[in-house]
Amino acid sequence: MDRGSLEALQLKRLRDTVQKLERVPFYHAKFEKSGLKPEDIKSTADIRRLPFTTAADLRENYPDGLLAVSRDEVVRLHTSSGTTGKPKALFFSRRDVDTAAELLARAFCMTGVTRRDVFQNMMSYGLFTGGLMMHYGAEKVGCMVIPSGPGTSERQLMLMQDFGTTVVHVTPSYAFYFADFLEKKGIDPRRQLALRKAFVGAEPYTEETRRKIEAALGVDVYNSYGLTEMNGPGVAFECEGKCGLHVWEDNFVMEIINPATGEPVGDGQTGELVLTSINREAMPLLRYRTRDLSSIIPEPCACGRTHRRLHRITGRSDDMLIVRGVNVFPQQIERVLMSIPQIGRNYLILLEGLDDMTVKVELSPSAFDGQVERLEELQNQVAEKLRAELWVRPKVDLVASGSLPVTEGKAKRVIDKRSL
Ligand code: AMP
Ligand code: ZN
């Protein structure tokens, strides 16, 4: 679809959504307060007149205060658990499930997946959308789907070998863990497995990490972004160019704002991603504050698609750590670590005492030659590289490959036990 038609469709769907939300007491009250009528939305730029929706709003209206249809029309519930209190609940109508699957099918096709592919979904099935939703998308393409879930690495490998898996869906942390597992078993995925692609998402990771996963598993890694509040996965996905994630703008209106002021930032500048779902029946959300930090790539993509792209998510606005008065993002640390060849794949940031930061990081399986002096030297090198990037020098603890904890779901990278 050309930009003009796409934008016209967006506007139509946005207006329909606002109209529909007049029936939801939460939004109705907000519209009343600001004197807004659906017909006031004359262009997508008028979206700025609409209220924001936050994670707190979802929690306060738990379980079904933001439902826009009758319960009878709901066919699916997914939730996303935050760090505290009640989860965020999201309802789907029959059409919503179909649409979500359709958007994922588009994403799969965009990376060159066809019905001849065997898709092994290593994400957890259940309330988390990464399992079921991806599954539906892959079935829509016609792939053979292996719903392996996270499971043990032994079983993942057996399924891959016996059924010729070509595409996997994993978190970056599990991809690394699995790569280590293969290395320890002496399996060369390039020669002994049929793997070609990995859809990697659910948590932030750097370009360096992408390259490491690609090298370790012998696959093309495509960044996959989504959140429960907007269907789950399939909000934005990379095309074969692997240079930013196309957002399905016929389903979502994106904005990038300054998280402190709520005002839009300039094109190409980094800020908080705000999404409005304009093609949902059961529970559309207006201007949802994702807290994810990114920027819009305004230039058209070489692939010819007209849906604009986002840069990879660099973290969350609430991820920022303040260490000795300096702002530090975990992704900065990851970028440095992953650029050092002797460094392995798992790391943990520990904040303790008054304001001390320790970065525990695994050595790569083949890096340690038994010489303790070399280890100390490397430790110092890593600490120095981190200091140059962060402006604070953390303590660096090099630990054996495979010794840091691995979680089944999203990785926990920061442990903050400070007594500030
Ligand atoms: P959930 O709704 O529980 O699936 O969590 C969604 C959140 O996971 C997003 O808001 C992001 O913070 C994070 N996330 C998902 N995919 C990605 C990705 N590709 N890159 C960075 N963060 C991601
Ligand atoms: Zn593209």
Side-chain angles (χ1 to χ4, degrees):
M1 198 181 263
D2 62 78
R3 267 318 287 182
S5 316
L6 184 55
E7 280 162 23
L9 179 63
Q10 266 194 322
L11 178 60
K12 180 188 176 299
R13 285 182 168 170
L14 177 63
R15 294 177 78 163
D16 290 350
T17 300
V18 172
Q19 199 139 34
K20 184 184 176 78
L21 288 175
E22 277 208 305
R23 295 194 299 268
V24 176
F26 168 81
Y27 283 115
H28 184 85
K30 295 220 168 193
F31 297 163
E32 287 259 282
K33 204 166 154 212
S34 64
L36 181 109
K37 303 257 175 312
E39 50 281 15
D40 295 339
I41 306 297
K42 296 195 168 65
S43 74
T44 32
D46 288 330
I47 198 165
R48 289 180 55 191
R49 305 188 53 184
L50 297 171
F52 286 120
T53 309
T54 63
D57 293 330
L58 259 73
R59 291 212 169 86
E60 278 156 27
N61 289 280
Y62 180 90
D64 60 1
L66 293 175
L67 186 60
V69 294
S70 87
R71 276 277 191 119
D72 296 352
E73 286 178 59
V74 174
V75 301
R76 176 91 68 85
L77 169 73
H78 278 289
T79 69
S80 166
S81 50
T83 37
T84 48
K86 292 284 190 192
K88 293 167 272 178
L90 200 86
F91 298 96
F92 293 76
S93 69
R94 162 89 44 216
R95 187 168 79 85
D96 291 338
V97 172
D98 285 348
T99 310
E102 174 74 30
L103 298 184
L104 278 160
R106 271 192 206 170
F108 279 49
C109 294
M110 182 161 70
T111 69
V113 169
T114 71
R115 57 198 295 266
R116 286 182 296 280
D117 278 293
V118 177
F119 176 68
Q120 188 162 327
N121 192 6
M122 295 157 82
M123 294 270 191
S124 119
Y125 278 69
L127 288 167
F128 174 55
T129 50
L132 275 174
M133 276 310 174
M134 283 300 258
H135 184 112
Y136 273 54
E139 277 189 357
K140 194 144 204 148
V141 176
C143 301
M144 177 171 110
V145 185
I146 307 179
S148 66
T152 66
S153 298
E154 287 287 353
R155 196 180 58 171
Q156 302 286 4
L157 175 61
M158 182 193 79
L159 293 166
M160 280 178 196
Q161 287 174 321
D162 295 349
F163 299 100
T165 302
T166 56
V167 186
V168 289
H169 178 213
V170 274
T171 58
S173 40
Y174 193 73
F176 272 160
Y177 181 76
F178 190 68
D180 276 349
F181 167 81
L182 291 183
E183 195 172 326
K184 282 180 193 141
K185 291 208 69 116
I187 290 180
D188 174 2
R190 282 184 182 73
R191 287 192 303 111
Q192 290 163 277
L193 298 175
L195 281 186
R196 291 191 298 124
K197 298 178 202 299
F199 297 154
V200 178
E203 51 191 40
Y205 59 106
T206 58
E207 203 53 44
E208 288 75 13
T209 294
R210 182 219 299 270
R211 282 199 286 273
K212 275 204 159 182
I213 299 174
E214 291 191 327
L217 291 179
V219 293
D220 275 310
V221 166
Y222 297 93
N223 197 349
S224 151
Y225 171 78
L227 62 163
T228 311
E229 297 87 319
M230 298 284 134
N231 295 349
V235 172
F237 223 93
E238 282 182 326
C239 66
E240 274 175 310
K242 299 195 285 190
C243 51
L245 301 96
H246 288 283
V247 176
W248 299 133
E249 290 182 278
D250 58 334
N251 278 255
F252 307 100
V253 176
M254 62 169 161
E255 301 168 78
I256 303 281
I257 62 163
N258 173 333
T261 63
E263 290 302 312
V265 302
D267 241 5
Q269 284 192 312
T270 300
E272 179 182 345
L273 174 65
V274 171
L275 292 168
T276 299
S277 40
I278 51 171
N279 193 24
R280 287 195 107 253
E281 280 184 345
M283 195 173 151
L285 296 174
L286 295 181
R287 306 189 80 201
Y288 184 69
R289 304 268 311 243
T290 67
R291 305 223 185 109
D292 292 324
L293 299 175
S294 182
S295 56
I296 294 176
I297 305 174
E299 298 81 28
C301 184
C303 75
R305 286 183 182 79
T306 49
H307 295 273
R308 285 176 303 164
R309 288 165 296 159
L310 282 177
H311 276 290
R312 71 169 58 251
I313 309 289
T314 52
R316 295 173 56 85
S317 58
D318 44 7
D319 258 0
M320 192 180 77
L321 307 167
I322 301 179
V323 184
R324 293 184 212 143
V326 178
N327 299 347
V328 172
F329 281 97
Q331 292 296 291
Q332 289 176 285
I333 297 179
E334 177 175 317
R335 204 180 317 126
V336 171
L337 296 177
M338 294 305 149
S339 68
I340 305 172
Q342 300 95 317
I343 292 300
R345 293 148 183 166
N346 202 353
Y347 67 94
L348 191 66
I349 302 162
L350 272 169
L351 297 159
E352 290 168 302
L354 265 181
D355 211 357
D356 297 320
M357 173 162 59
T358 304
V359 177
K360 276 181 179 282
V361 56
E362 290 183 4
L363 277 166
S364 94
S366 49
F368 186 46
D369 60 3
Q371 281 191 277
V372 178
E373 307 82 63
R374 289 261 182 84
L375 210 57
E376 276 170 12
E377 200 179 300
L378 181 59
Q379 218 148 250
N380 272 329
Q381 260 175 28
V382 176
E384 204 33 52
K385 285 200 165 159
L386 286 169
R387 192 202 55 78
E389 164 78 26
L390 311 173
W391 299 90
V392 278
R393 188 184 163 108
K395 184 169 170 286
V396 171
D397 246 353
L398 293 175
V399 299
S401 149
S403 64
L404 291 177
V406 187
T407 41
E408 266 199 356
K410 303 188 187 222
K412 188 162 170 47
R413 299 291 194 195
V414 181
I415 298 179
D416 196 342
K417 294 195 287 193
R418 280 180 293 187
S419 46
L420 286 177

